[in-house]
Amino acid sequence: MLPFTRDQFLANLVSYNEAIWPVQLAAFAIGVLAVALLFWPPRMADRLIASILAVMWLWTGVAYHWLHFTEINKAALIFGASFVVQGAMLAYVGVVRGQLRFGSGSGPAASVGIAFVAYAAVLYPLLGIWTGHAYPEMPVFGVTPCPVTIFTFGFFLLAKPPMSRWLLAIPFIWSLIGGSAAFLLGVPQDWLLLVSGVVAVFLVVAYHREADWKA
């Protein structure tokens, strides 16, 4: 059982969305920029993508979990800390060390990655509206945990070997936590989250292992 009701969860989302407006627009804009950067050859593009993902995780950890979700669930203190750690890891590995490289690519991993990115940025909010969760009573891309996680999995599937497997750990754990809660709360646009972690981890590990064998 969850320590809060569905109505409390939705009311908390409304309060959060109204408090941070118009950050949602900026989040969507940098999400589009991240996708555009996949087709931008310079090395700096990889660092910019990593920084965008890091900002999304840091923002969600602090603004969503710590400053709002803790009002109805004290476990959000731990959730927020994990998101901040993930954001810091992305910043260190991808921005400081420059060890994350992305590309549109081809093959099963890239195809699923593109699908995850498109789902998180476009289909996710549309499905929410279609199922009766119109703004502001909906998780919004780039500033709430579930779409941020799916979006990140999409980019991990588009990452070129080698990539630190540690970057997969926190998103995978959240996919199980957030995905399970989505069924209890009746948030169908988050149902994909529950399987996205398993699919993404399997494909990333398989793709990178194949690359290691060929090296």
Side-chain angles (χ1 to χ4, degrees), residues 82-195:
S82 68
F83 270 66
V84 169
V85 169
Q86 180 69 16
M89 288 173 62
L90 284 164
Y92 179 71
V93 174
V95 182
V96 177
R97 299 291 298 274
Q99 293 177 340
L100 274 175
R101 297 178 300 121
F102 302 94
S104 54
S106 61
S111 298
V112 175
I114 292 170
F116 279 0
V117 167
Y119 180 85
V122 180
L123 296 179
Y124 184 97
L126 293 178
L127 181 58
I129 294 171
W130 182 62
T131 55
H133 296 284
Y135 182 87
E137 200 179 70
M138 64 185 296
V140 178
F141 169 78
V143 294
T144 51
C146 297
V148 165
T149 303
I150 296 171
F151 190 70
T152 302
F153 276 138
F155 272 90
F156 284 169
L157 287 163
L158 293 166
K160 300 175 183 178
M163 186 188 87
S164 173
R165 306 291 202 275
W166 288 107
L167 290 174
L168 293 166
I170 291 174
F172 176 73
I173 293 170
W174 181 256
S175 73
L176 301 180
I177 296 172
S180 300
F183 280 91
L184 298 175
L185 294 169
V187 185
Q189 62 267 44
D190 283 342
W191 293 352
L192 176 67
L193 179 65
L194 191 58
V195 298

Side-chain angles (χ1 to χ4, degrees), residues 4-126:
F4 51 88
T5 66
R6 182 174 182 273
D7 288 342
Q8 287 176 316
F9 173 72
L10 295 176
N12 189 258
L13 273 176
V14 171
S15 174
Y16 173 65
N17 280 323
E18 290 178 344
I20 68 169
W21 176 262
V23 173
Q24 296 91 332
L25 298 180
F28 185 78
I30 64 173
V32 171
L33 175 60
V35 174
L37 288 169
L38 287 171
F39 307 95
W40 189 12
R43 180 75 171 178
M44 183 59 69
D46 296 326
R47 281 188 160 91
L48 288 173
I49 292 173
S51 67
I52 288 170
L53 296 177
V55 165
M56 288 183 175
W57 281 84
L58 292 169
W59 174 276
T60 304
V62 175
Y64 177 79
H65 279 303
W66 282 347
L67 299 183
H68 284 84
F69 197 37
T70 50
E71 295 178 4
I72 60 173
N73 186 8
K74 295 305 178 185
L77 291 169
I78 299 173
F79 299 155
S82 68
F83 270 66
V84 169
V85 169
Q86 180 69 16
M89 288 173 62
L90 284 164
Y92 179 71
V93 174
V95 182
V96 177
R97 299 291 298 274
Q99 293 177 340
L100 274 175
R101 297 178 300 121
F102 302 94
S104 54
S106 61
S111 298
V112 175
I114 292 170
F116 279 0
V117 167
Y119 180 85
V122 180
L123 296 179
Y124 184 97
L126 293 178

